[in-house]
Amino acid sequence: MADDQHEEVSKKVSAEEEIRRGITVMRRVVQGRSRGIILDVCWNNQGQLIEPNGHTLTSFIGALVRNEIPITCDDWRNKELNESKEKIWSEIKRCFNIEEERRGFCMKLAGKLLRGFRTFLSSKFLKDADGNFVDAELPKKYESLISAEEWEAFKSKRQDPVFQRISATNRERASSPAYPYRKGRVGYGRLEQSMLQKEESSETSLPAHVLWKEARVGKSGVPQEEVLHVYQKCEELSQSLSPDDTKGILSRALDVPEYSGRVRGKGFGVTPTSLSVKKGKAPSNRELHARLEAMQAELDALRREREASASTVYRDASDKNSINCTFQPNIPEGISHCQLYLSSPYYRMVGKGKVHNVSGVLLHTRELPAGCLKVSVDIAVDPNAALPYPSDDSDATTVHEAVGSFVAWPTNLICVGYELQENEVSNASAQQKKEVSNASARVKSSGAKKTVARKKPTTKYRSCLRTFLEMTDIPAGGVRTVHMKEGIFGFDHDQMIGNEDFMQVFSHEEIGVTVVNTYIRYLYDKLMRPNGLDETFGFLAPATVNLGLILSRPDTVTEYVLRILMDNKDAEKLFFIPFNTGGHWLLLAINPIREIVYYLDSLGNNWTTYPVMKVLIDTVLQAFRAQRDIQTSRRGANSITWIKVACPQQRNQIDCGYFMLRFMRDTLALGRLMIPTDYFEEFKCAFYTKDQVDEIKEEWCQFMIELNVFS
């Protein structure tokens, strides 16, 4: 009878409360639960387990997984373990106050602890002091957790040749780390918590490299010199790298590859996504299509409302005779002078320019908004007035910013018949000349001091140049020429320039040799000649010295380079070679007298990537030495020095040409014949920003305007 009652009670035990081998450890937690004590656990803002009770929960999960999961389980993702995992999670929730969203973390931690337990058993009982396998009996300490069958299967798996090979590889990889972790079982999360508490800091997290350094400080409290070196390098990089840089500061300092899903210096539980705002489920194509339709309908409604409002305001203002102009609803075809008006917050004239009422006309390759015409703004009457349709291409949002560019303007707010007065022309011209002069002065003084804050470059000259371009035959296939003086490349010629070259700059595409050559003409005219630098610096034509010609006509390249060097053999000079490898621009700076070649590559490649380039340059320098009758020892015959400069690195596949032009510009701005290995202190940075690249574009466009290439 008693046995029947006991069996009946046993049947009432729920699957949630059942643990197959029974809870034999962490009695404090289980006994506390019996008294109604549920422990709270805390997490940092990166999703890591911290104190109070972080260590307790970790130990409790380890006890559960040792009890519930057999040691013969090699694949934690095996679906056959789902039932056991569910029991583990249920037991955790019974003892700890924990949210459902933390299940993923706990299950990953359980898998990690199970792997650690198997490794411990193998190292402790199945290997001798020399690491050789021994046929050990099941330890009595773990007889309640491990059956004899499981133990034999575990030993068999550990003796498998495939496992032995993988184990040896992993053991070798993990042996003798350069920077060993010295905090024992204290993870990065709890280490960070203790550091913040000790410093009484209001911050919620610490930089990865700060944690990394502290985790490698032993009981002595003194970090190793190697660790300090990495930490100091991280501190330097943190001053120059963008917070959004895809490769972490610590990884750059250690010079090691990034692994997918890994965040160095943060520890278990931190992923790239946990450091940023978590993204929701990506919408389906149907949802995106519905959103686009809704946005288009809303945009059309707003446009109709704006046009109706503008018409009403205009009629109200006309009735009061408050406008000194005659509105012409029928704008004549062609290009006409006009006045530009806005209707909100009141009707007033904000600018003057020209309206282009031409069939099929486009605005920056886009169709005009409904009810609008294309206008060019010449004069800003109300400079701060907002454009009715801001320009996407030129970033212009006000009338002043739109001067010299094309914008869309509502037809009912255009008054034709206005002509630019002579005094307005002279005033506008004087203002433009003043701006050009100021811009030129800024270029000349660009190397003065790095600490001087630079004003964000505008798109003024690009917009103006684009306006001029659209009024010529160049977009339809016409070409112009820019004269290249003999002093630039050693021969006199005219550089052809067409629409494709302009669009490379306007649309931020990979630049070709035409843009490079004409920018070199700008450097020659604006930086070298006025400052007497043409005596100490020179250029070699990229159309003559490039990888393609070296492979097809090496004699032609050698003859040209040697001729230029011999023409300047009496004085020390640094020659720039903008070198194109067929899809990438890099810079070679050669000092032939000292036989030094500076190699600047914004992709970080070594010169060994292009061996034929190095062979040709070395050959030319040796021939240059021979023609100057310079005697050298046999050992020193090949002692040409190549120096790889740690120059700013590009972050896309387009900017190499702009970076290469800035390398020349920075060197000329400082006027130095020697380029430091870690680049110039005045211009040192991890990468050039968009504003710094835009400076090159603005200088080029301004120079094209000054050369009057459209005449």
Side-chain angles (χ1 to χ4, degrees):
M1 184 70 177
D3 292 338
D4 293 338
Q5 289 177 348
H6 178 73
E7 183 179 354
E8 183 177 351
V9 171
S10 298
K11 290 180 180 180
K12 293 180 181 179
V13 177
S14 66
E16 181 183 57
E17 298 174 324
E18 178 187 359
I19 295 295
R20 185 173 61 196
R21 296 188 177 112
I23 303 298
T24 60
V25 291
M26 299 298 293
R27 299 181 186 275
R28 178 174 63 85
V29 176
V30 178
Q31 291 173 356
R33 181 189 65 194
S34 301
R35 297 193 299 269
I37 299 175
I38 306 299
L39 301 177
D40 293 324
V41 289
C42 297
W43 312 81
N44 62 18
N45 63 338
Q46 296 161 4
Q48 291 175 300
L49 192 60
I50 57 175
E51 302 299 338
N53 299 320
H55 183 268
T56 302
L57 176 57
T58 301
S59 299
F60 186 71
I61 293 175
L64 288 176
V65 77
R66 288 193 296 271
N67 276 270
E68 186 60 29
I69 308 295
I71 60 173
T72 53
C73 169
D74 292 329
D75 186 3
W76 183 247
R77 296 168 295 183
N78 192 331
K79 294 183 178 180
E80 295 179 0
L81 300 178
N82 288 348
E83 183 179 354
S84 299
K85 291 180 180 179
E86 185 63 37
K87 292 177 181 179
I88 292 174
W89 178 240
S90 299
E91 194 68 19
I92 292 173
K93 290 196 296 182
R94 292 176 62 196
C95 300
F96 294 86
N97 184 15
I98 190 168
E99 302 88 349
E100 187 68 29
E101 64 187 36
R102 304 295 183 183
R103 174 171 178 158
F105 176 91
C106 292
M107 289 300 102
K108 289 179 181 178
L109 180 58
K112 177 184 175 184
L113 294 172
L114 179 62
R115 292 193 301 272
F117 181 53
R118 291 201 305 265
T119 301
F120 163 75
L121 291 174
S122 180
S123 302
K124 181 74 174 178
F125 302 105
L126 299 183
K127 293 181 180 179
D128 59 18
D130 297 327
N132 300 316
F133 181 83
V134 295
D135 188 11
E137 298 292 333
L138 173 63
K140 292 185 178 181
K141 181 179 180 181
Y142 298 105
E143 286 180 348
S144 61
L145 300 177
I146 306 170
S147 67
E149 293 78 8
E150 288 178 1
W151 181 251
E152 293 301 322
F154 178 69
K155 289 195 299 181
S156 177
K157 285 190 175 184
R158 295 284 152 158
Q159 287 181 287
D160 183 76
V162 176
F163 177 85
Q164 292 284 343
R165 186 167 57 252
I166 297 174
S167 178
T169 301
N170 292 337
R171 186 165 55 253
E172 181 180 358
R173 185 176 60 183
S175 64
S176 303
Y179 312 100
Y181 182 86
R182 299 183 180 277
K183 294 301 179 183
R185 297 181 64 188
V186 179
Y188 278 98
R190 294 197 289 273
L191 175 62
E192 181 180 54
Q193 182 186 24
S194 64
M195 292 175 64
L196 291 172
Q197 290 175 348
K198 184 178 180 180
E199 297 174 2
E200 298 182 353
S201 173
S202 59
E203 299 292 332
T204 57
S205 64
L206 294 171
H209 65 280
V210 175
L211 275 176
W212 180 88
K213 185 196 79 169
E214 186 64 25
R216 280 145 187 84
V217 177
K219 294 181 180 180
S220 65
V222 180
Q224 295 180 350
E225 184 177 348
E226 296 82 359
V227 173
L228 279 178
H229 176 71
V230 174
Y231 174 77
Q232 291 167 358
K233 191 172 182 180
C234 289
E235 287 290 292
E236 295 173 1
L237 288 172
S238 65
Q239 304 299 320
S240 58
L241 288 180
S242 166
D244 299 326
D245 200 298
T246 55
K247 188 174 181 181
I249 292 174
L250 184 55
S251 296
R252 289 183 180 274
L254 292 171
D255 194 22
V256 291
E258 283 285 15
Y259 297 99
S260 177
R262 179 176 184 176
V263 180
R264 295 186 181 274
K266 283 296 184 179
F268 178 78
V270 179
T271 63
T273 53
S274 69
L275 291 176
S276 58
V277 179
K278 294 184 178 180
K279 299 179 181 179
K281 182 180 178 182
S284 64
N285 291 339
R286 182 177 299 178
E287 291 173 334
L288 288 173
H289 186 68
R291 290 183 193 177
L292 287 173
E293 288 184 343
M295 292 172 63
Q296 186 62 47
E298 184 178 356
L299 182 62
D300 292 341
L302 289 173
R303 185 180 291 118
R304 289 192 295 269
E305 182 181 347
R306 174 184 284 183
E307 292 171 357
S309 174
S311 299
T312 303
V313 174
Y314 170 73
R315 288 194 297 271
D316 292 344
S318 297
D319 293 340
K320 298 177 182 179
N321 295 320
S322 59
I323 306 170
N324 187 21
C325 72
T326 303
F327 179 71
Q328 299 180 8
N330 296 320
I331 297 176
E333 293 184 359
I335 302 176
S336 308
H337 292 281
C338 66
Q339 295 171 328
L340 305 173
Y341 288 79
L342 289 179
S343 58
S344 178
Y346 58 91
Y347 200 96
R348 81 276 190 202
M349 183 175 67
V350 296
K352 302 177 182 181
K354 301 180 188 69
V355 56
H356 296 248
N357 188 14
V358 181
S359 177
V361 68
L362 298 177
L363 180 65
H364 306 308
T365 71
R366 298 184 180 91
E367 292 185 0
L368 287 162
C372 293
L373 285 175
K374 179 179 180 179
V375 302
S376 58
V377 183
D378 297 327
I379 300 294
V381 177
D382 186 353
N384 296 322
L387 294 174
Y389 293 91
S391 173
D392 294 333
D393 291 77
S394 63
D395 298 328
T397 58
T398 65
V399 176
H400 172 70
E401 293 172 345
V403 171
S405 64
F406 289 103
V407 296
W409 210 277
T411 307
N412 61 330
L413 297 177
I414 300 174
C415 176
V416 300
Y418 162 77
E419 292 187 5
L420 200 65
Q421 301 298 318
E422 184 177 353
N423 62 332
E424 290 179 319
V425 174
S426 60
N427 291 339
S429 177
Q431 178 65 20
Q432 183 181 19
K433 288 181 179 180
K434 180 180 179 181
E435 291 172 346
V436 169
S437 176
N438 292 339
S440 178
R442 285 197 302 273
V443 171
K444 291 180 181 180
S445 61
S446 60
K449 283 190 178 181
K450 180 183 177 182
T451 55
V452 178
R454 290 185 177 178
K455 187 176 180 181
K456 184 176 180 179
T458 66
T459 60
K460 173 175 54 180
Y461 293 110
R462 271 176 284 171
S463 300
C464 186
L465 184 64
R466 194 162 193 166
T467 301
F468 292 155
L469 180 69
E470 293 181 357
M471 299 174 66
T472 68
D473 64 336
I474 293 179
V479 295
R480 298 293 187 273
T481 59
V482 174
H483 184 65
M484 304 296 291
K485 306 170 186 176
E486 183 179 0
I488 301 176
F489 293 139
F491 55 92
D492 187 280
H493 73 287
D494 288 328
Q495 176 68 57
M496 306 294 290
I497 184 169
N499 188 63
E500 178 184 354
D501 305 306
F502 290 103
M503 295 310 298
Q504 289 170 0
V505 177
F506 296 154
S507 304
H508 192 69
E509 301 171 356
E510 295 182 24
I511 57 175
V513 69
T514 298
V515 176
V516 172
N517 283 350
T518 47
Y519 187 82
I520 288 175
R521 163 76 193 272
Y522 160 78
L523 293 176
Y524 183 79
D525 284 4
K526 298 297 183 179
L527 289 183
M528 289 178 62
R529 291 291 297 278
N531 299 310
L533 295 177
D534 53 329
E535 298 295 328
T536 50
F537 293 92
F539 299 99
L540 291 171
T544 306
V545 187
N546 56 66
L547 191 60
L549 278 176
I550 290 176
L551 292 172
S552 61
R553 289 184 288 172
D555 293 341
T556 301
V557 180
T558 302
E559 181 182 350
Y560 166 69
V561 177
L562 185 58
R563 177 176 67 82
I564 298 298
L565 299 187
M566 288 303 298
D567 288 344
N568 298 270
K569 63 182 176 63
D570 297 328
E572 185 176 354
K573 202 167 184 178
L574 190 68
F575 289 91
F576 295 118
I577 304 180
F579 192 86
N580 193 286
T581 65
H584 172 61
W585 286 102
L586 57 87
L587 180 66
L588 299 176
I590 301 177
N591 187 327
I593 299 294
R594 296 182 180 271
E595 298 186 351
I596 296 175
V597 182
Y598 297 101
Y599 178 88
L600 296 90
D601 189 342
S602 58
L603 284 181
N605 295 325
N606 204 311
W607 56 76
T608 54
T609 308
Y610 314 106
V612 294
M613 172 195 72
K614 184 178 186 301
V615 169
L616 183 133
I617 298 299
D618 287 348
T619 302
V620 170
L621 290 179
Q622 291 169 7
F624 177 70
R625 179 201 303 156
Q627 292 196 21
R628 290 170 57 235
D629 295 327
I630 302 297
Q631 301 298 322
T632 183
S633 64
R634 182 176 300 178
R635 179 178 298 178
N638 297 319
S639 61
I640 296 169
T641 304
W642 283 70
I643 298 175
K644 181 181 178 181
V645 179
C647 53
Q649 299 292 286
Q650 66 188 83
R651 301 192 298 173
N652 56 37
Q653 301 300 316
I654 298 174
D655 286 348
C656 59
Y658 297 106
F659 275 51
M660 179 269 298
L661 296 179
R662 277 205 71 105
F663 297 156
M664 293 191 292
R665 180 183 184 272
D666 291 350
T667 308
L668 289 172
L670 296 175
R672 300 175 189 171
L673 288 175
M674 185 188 75
I675 303 178
T677 305
D678 57 350
Y679 207 58
F680 300 110
E681 188 66 32
E682 293 85 347
F683 298 110
K684 186 184 296 184
C685 57
F687 56 88
Y688 289 131
T689 64
K690 179 181 180 299
D691 292 344
Q692 290 172 306
V693 171
D694 284 347
E695 285 182 19
I696 300 295
K697 297 179 182 179
E698 283 292 283
E699 289 167 356
W700 185 83
C701 291
Q702 177 187 346
F703 188 59
M704 292 298 102
I705 294 173
E706 291 182 2
L707 290 178
N708 195 18
V709 295
F710 302 119
S711 61

